[in-house]
């Protein structure tokens, strides 16, 4: 493929999403059929459909993952629908004209709990001492939080499908946002879990403020490299 080719990668993608996880202890959930209510919601689980509208000309992949009966995962351009978390839905809606809202469970909470705020502190420490050698303990430690939340084999005492789903969905939302910023979508050559290869040089979006963009590293948690 004629170059140049650019590689975009999220710094500690899953720990970044883990840092943002909301409190579930004081949460209340409201079912709504009103699409407008998810725009300003802190979080929402959205039920969508992907009908064949005749205007969807995307031949490569669709917006959201779909698990088939044989447990393989595909990205259909049309389907009967499914459920995704708020940010992923919103970016999918911007990118694909046939993404249709059905209903959503809106998250409400007035508490100031931040269950995983220390992720940012450990990430800064990892930057200071490096991610290899002694730093590998911190790197693997903060990355393993997702694994504990998603664990379904054994005791799995920390399992939370809600938190685990928010992490993977939030990461996919970042990739959809990167796709959205391309002038020509066909310039995206490959998308992986937390990165992409592209023929376009774009100005990647900034992550939320986590106070981790310290000098001289300038690698904020969740930022694009």
């Amino acid at each position: 493929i004629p170059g140049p080719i650019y590689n975009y990668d999220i710094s500690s993608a899953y720990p970044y999403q883990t840092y943002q996880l909301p409190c579930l202890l004081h949460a209340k959930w409201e079912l709504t059929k009103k699409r407008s209510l998810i725009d300003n919601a802190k979080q929402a689980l959205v039920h969508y459909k992907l009908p064949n509208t005749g205007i969807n000309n995307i031949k490569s992949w669709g917006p959201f993952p779909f698990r088939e009966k044989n447990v393989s995962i595909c990205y259909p351009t049309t389907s009967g629908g499914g459920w995704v978390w708020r940010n992923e839905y919103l970016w999918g809606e911007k990118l694909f004209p046939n993404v249709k809202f059905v209903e959503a469970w809106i998250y409400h909470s007035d508490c100031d709990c931040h269950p995983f705020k220390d992720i940012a502190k450990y990430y800064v420490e990892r930057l200071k001492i490096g991610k290899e050698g002694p730093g590998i303990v911190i790197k693997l430690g903060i990355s393993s939080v997702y694994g504990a939340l998603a664990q379904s084999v054994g005791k799995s005492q920390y399992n939370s499908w809600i938190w685990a789903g928010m992490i993977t969905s939030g990461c996919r939302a970042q990739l959809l946002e990167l796709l959205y910023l391309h002038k020509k979508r066909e310039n995206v050559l490959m998308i992986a879990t937390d990165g992409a290869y592209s023929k376009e040089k774009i100005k990647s979006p900034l992550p939320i403020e986590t106070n981790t963009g310290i000098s001289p590293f300038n690698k904020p948690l969740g930022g694009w490299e």
Side-chain angles (χ1 to χ4, degrees):
I1 299 174
I5 295 173
Y6 303 94
N7 175 212
Y8 299 94
D9 183 75
I10 305 171
S11 293
S12 293
Y14 278 15
Y16 173 60
Q17 295 299 329
T18 304
Y19 171 86
Q20 300 178 64
L21 292 176
C23 171
L24 298 181
L25 181 63
H26 304 113
K28 294 182 179 180
W29 300 87
E30 173 193 3
L31 182 63
T32 182
K33 303 286 186 179
K34 296 182 179 179
R35 159 65 184 79
S36 59
L37 292 184
I38 70 173
D39 286 328
N40 297 316
K42 293 180 180 178
Q43 185 56 277
L45 183 60
V46 184
H47 185 191
Y48 70 89
K49 285 189 176 181
L50 285 177
N52 186 353
T53 60
I55 59 174
N56 185 19
N57 60 356
I58 305 303
K59 298 179 180 179
S60 53
W61 63 77
F64 309 125
F66 187 90
R67 189 178 294 278
E68 299 184 293
K69 290 182 179 180
N70 64 359
V71 308
S72 64
I73 297 176
C74 61
Y75 281 75
T77 56
T78 61
S79 77
W83 295 80
V84 292
W85 292 98
R86 174 185 177 274
N87 287 354
E88 185 178 11
Y89 174 83
L90 292 177
W91 283 112
E93 190 181 63
K94 287 183 179 182
L95 276 161
F96 297 85
N98 67 326
V99 172
K100 303 300 180 185
F101 175 87
V102 178
E103 60 187 351
W105 284 96
I106 305 292
Y107 167 90
H108 297 287
S109 179
D110 295 326
C111 73
D112 57 359
C113 302
H114 192 167
F116 296 94
K117 66 179 185 300
D118 284 347
I119 289 284
K121 178 181 69 175
Y122 291 124
Y123 175 77
V124 168
E125 190 64 22
R126 198 213 81 184
L127 290 178
K128 291 178 179 177
I129 64 178
K131 62 181 180 180
E132 306 300 335
I136 195 69
V137 176
I138 299 177
K139 177 185 176 182
L140 297 180
I142 62 177
S143 295
S144 69
V145 176
Y146 165 74
L149 296 174
Q151 182 180 352
S152 60
V153 178
K155 294 182 179 180
S156 59
Q157 58 182 321
Y158 302 110
N159 171 270
S160 171
W161 296 126
I162 294 178
W163 272 342
M166 287 179 179
I167 291 172
T168 52
S169 181
C171 189
R172 291 193 300 266
Q174 284 188 271
L175 291 169
L176 287 173
E177 182 180 9
L178 188 76
L179 182 62
Y180 179 80
L181 293 174
H182 279 73
K183 294 179 181 178
K184 293 183 178 181
R185 205 177 304 180
E186 58 267 29
N187 282 336
V188 179
L189 305 175
M190 186 193 82
I191 284 181
T193 303
D194 61 351
Y197 284 94
S198 171
K199 294 171 67 176
E200 262 186 58
K201 186 175 184 179
I202 63 174
K203 185 177 181 180
S204 52
L206 296 174
I208 65 168
E209 181 55 64
T210 58
N211 296 314
T212 55
I214 61 174
S215 181
F217 307 104
N218 298 318
K219 287 180 59 175
L221 179 64
W224 285 96
E225 299 180 63

